[in-house]
Amino acid sequence: MSPTSADPPPASAPAAQGVDAAGVHALLDALEAAGDIEPHSLMILRHGRVVAAGWWAPYTPARPHLLYSLSKSFTVTAAALAEAEGLIDFDAPVISHFPEFAADVTDPRSRAMRVRHLASMASGHDRDTVDAAYRRDPAEPVRGFLLIPPDRDPGTLFAYNQPNTYTLGAVVQRVTGQSLTDYLRPRLLDPLGIGPTGWVRDRTGREIGFSGLYAPTDAVARLGALYFADGVHKGRRLLPEGWAARASRPHIATAGALGEDHPDWDQGYGHHFWISRHGYRGDGAYGQFCLVLPEHGAVIAATSATERMQDYLDLVWRHLLPALHPAPLTGRDAEDAALRDRLARLSLPPAPGRPVPPERAADWAGAVFAPAGGTCADQPTLTGAQVTAAADGGWTLTLTDRGEPLSLRLPDTAWTVTEEPVPTAVSGGWTGPGTLTADVLFLETPHRLRLTCSLANRTFTASWATRPLPPTRLRRLRCPG
């Protein structure tokens, strides 16, 4: 994958922008010490300049990363651009964009649903209806969604409901005659200097809007910086004036919607941006963040792998916010240099293991393993594994997933990176005479698979640290196209 841009965002020493490097160190320390957070990347911008940027190897700056629901913030940006071009009216009934469904969609609440309700997760449904919509009409999920009567009047109830974004994205793709990516490319992505991206499509051929966007961390940072600047980039207005404020104010109350202990999800929902205790944000499953902090002059872009997203935000508020000062700091050259050096050396610790069997190597060569217990509970489509010895003295672990082989070179260093057929990094090795353990990072996603093979039983187990949503074949855990 080529670099994201030949025109990187301007950089600055942290102290020159009033950022105390000690606070960034404290955040890095906390992220790396949290056993349930696996950081992949972090970019911090202050006053429009990059003051800190780092990737935990084997993750790298140019590589795209699955953003999950952070994709929604790009989808609603496309809707805002379409509105500015007179193609969408946020107050228009959703059904007006799909007249071929009008005879079937008779529920008055469904017919009263407006485009703005889609953008604010306020269709009136009290739950996520994505599975029901695809079941109702697999060939046209928009029709399936509109045939599910809302539980309340649109605009009166928040529910994090994927078909809201799917339908909003479908409206954009219908009125523009283009995919979301093709529509955004000349209007947003190219002007911002965002390079190649990929977006998952469903069986209709649409980019799904609510998830599935693969983009580098740099792209997330650029989007956040654009919203921070009210849609102006290098003196050129890319977003409608006032749209950033409109998208980032609460349109619907969310208190208690995600249960207890989620204070940053209780502050309200804008147009596909969450209101936070500090500023606002787009976010995606397992810790993909675009934090915009107008009161602090800062933007934070991050990718990670964690189910403890509130914990991640708590660490940012606790360690980074106190490091943001109103004026430049002086005499901090050594501290800034030390931070720069640390950011350049970030890496994820590899799984333990020896690169060759400690003994009985001949027994391992060609050994075939079946799922323990007859099935692989955490990755049920895996049906087999085989270990083979290479002529150069290395070893390969080949997994069979729905009949498709995926060969993984076992590491002779910390991480072995392979690009095809899917970008992976493998660590681990033999942890005993009869046990092989390997961790597999799917490098364009927040997903890590741990496999353990037992020579005595000729069985293996596999478990996800974060489970792909929805479950999919291993070979599909990569940027489309």
Side-chain angles (χ1 to χ4, degrees):
M1 181 67 67
S2 62
T4 58
S5 172
D7 182 23
S12 171
Q17 304 303 321
V19 179
D20 187 346
V24 183
H25 276 295
L27 176 59
L28 297 175
D29 289 343
L31 291 173
E32 293 182 336
D36 49 10
I37 296 175
E38 179 182 286
H40 293 171
S41 68
L42 177 68
M43 293 184 69
I44 302 171
L45 283 68
R46 188 93 192 277
H47 306 140
R49 295 182 175 273
V50 179
V51 297
W55 284 257
W56 278 262
Y59 291 87
T60 56
R63 193 179 292 281
H65 198 283
L66 174 58
L67 301 182
Y68 275 115
S69 283
L70 182 49
S71 309
K72 293 178 170 70
S73 298
F74 287 84
T75 298
V76 81
T77 301
L81 293 169
E83 181 190 43
E85 293 177 0
L87 301 176
I88 291 177
D89 179 355
F90 269 59
D91 286 322
V94 175
I95 193 65
S96 68
H97 288 286
F98 303 96
E100 68 273 28
F101 305 149
D104 298 329
V105 179
T106 58
D107 182 85
R109 286 173 171 164
S110 292
R111 297 185 68 87
M113 196 186 306
R114 310 287 171 172
V115 173
R116 58 184 164 84
H117 297 140
L118 300 178
S120 54
M121 290 292 178
S123 61
H125 298 91
D126 63 5
R127 65 203 179 283
D128 190 354
T129 62
V130 64
D131 292 337
Y134 274 95
R135 283 196 304 268
R136 182 69 67 93
D137 193 336
E140 181 43 273
V142 170
R143 180 179 178 274
F145 169 57
L146 294 175
L147 288 174
I148 302 170
D151 304 281
R152 298 255 296 274
D153 289 342
T156 64
L157 176 69
F158 172 86
Y160 200 68
N161 189 10
Q162 309 294 355
N164 280 308
T165 318
Y166 180 89
T167 303
L168 180 64
V171 170
V172 173
Q173 291 172 90
R174 173 163 286 202
V175 300
T176 64
Q178 296 178 284
S179 69
L180 293 169
T181 298
D182 288 345
Y183 182 66
L184 286 171
R185 177 56 60 190
R187 294 164 177 84
L188 182 83
L189 303 180
D190 284 346
L192 286 180
I194 295 173
T197 61
W199 211 320
V200 173
R201 297 173 183 253
D202 68 3
R203 67 185 67 183
T204 71
R206 293 190 190 109
E207 293 176 341
I208 62 176
F210 62 85
S211 184
L213 176 60
Y214 288 73
T217 314
D218 172 80
V220 175
R222 289 170 189 259
L223 182 73
L226 182 67
Y227 270 77
F228 175 80
D230 186 33
V232 176
H233 176 68
K234 294 186 175 180
R236 175 185 173 188
R237 176 161 292 285
L238 300 182
L239 301 182
E241 185 175 2
W243 166 256
R246 179 176 151 199
S248 61
R249 66 175 175 84
H251 292 276
I252 192 77
T254 59
L258 272 69
E260 299 180 356
D261 301 324
H262 288 84
D264 281 297
W265 279 261
D266 288 345
Q267 309 301 314
Y269 197 74
H271 282 333
H272 284 353
F273 282 92
W274 291 92
I275 316 306
S276 296
R277 287 177 291 170
H278 304 278
Y280 61 96
R281 71 188 191 281
D283 66 34
Y286 305 129
Q288 323 320 313
F289 289 111
C290 178
L291 311 180
V292 184
L293 310 177
E295 69 273 31
H296 295 284
V299 171
I300 301 160
T303 60
S304 55
T306 181
E307 294 183 343
R308 308 289 295 182
M309 292 174 63
Q310 182 62 67
D311 290 354
Y312 192 110
L313 292 175
D314 289 344
L315 295 178
V316 173
W317 308 149
R318 183 180 309 142
H319 298 293
L320 187 59
L321 290 190
L324 305 179
H325 296 271
L329 306 175
T330 58
R332 303 295 182 92
D333 291 352
E335 291 85 348
D336 288 351
L339 176 61
R340 192 164 53 246
D341 180 64
R342 179 178 181 179
L343 289 166
R345 294 183 292 102
L346 295 173
S347 64
L348 296 177
R354 301 180 183 182
V356 296
E359 55 187 64
R360 299 171 61 191
D363 292 342
W364 282 97
V368 176
F369 303 86
T375 59
C376 188
D378 202 44
Q379 177 62 15
T381 61
L382 281 179
T383 57
Q386 183 175 16
V387 176
T388 54
D392 62 3
W395 293 81
T396 298
L397 174 64
T398 300
L399 308 178
T400 302
D401 177 31
R402 302 191 197 191
E404 294 178 343
L406 177 62
S407 293
L408 305 166
R409 176 80 175 195
L410 294 174
D412 50 18
T413 57
W415 294 96
T416 294
V417 175
T418 303
E419 296 296 335
E420 296 295 340
V422 58
T424 58
V426 181
S427 68
W430 279 267
T431 55
T435 304
L436 169 67
T437 298
D439 279 12
V440 185
L441 299 178
F442 291 84
L443 287 173
E444 294 178 349
T445 78
H447 301 306
R448 177 194 290 248
L449 185 65
R450 168 158 288 190
L451 298 119
T452 301
C453 297
S454 169
L455 187 62
N457 302 322
R458 297 298 172 113
T459 60
F460 75 95
T461 60
S463 60
W464 289 108
T466 54
R467 188 186 301 267
L469 302 172
T472 190
R473 300 185 185 198
L474 299 180
R475 282 173 170 256
R476 294 181 181 175
L477 291 172
R478 67 173 305 160
C479 181

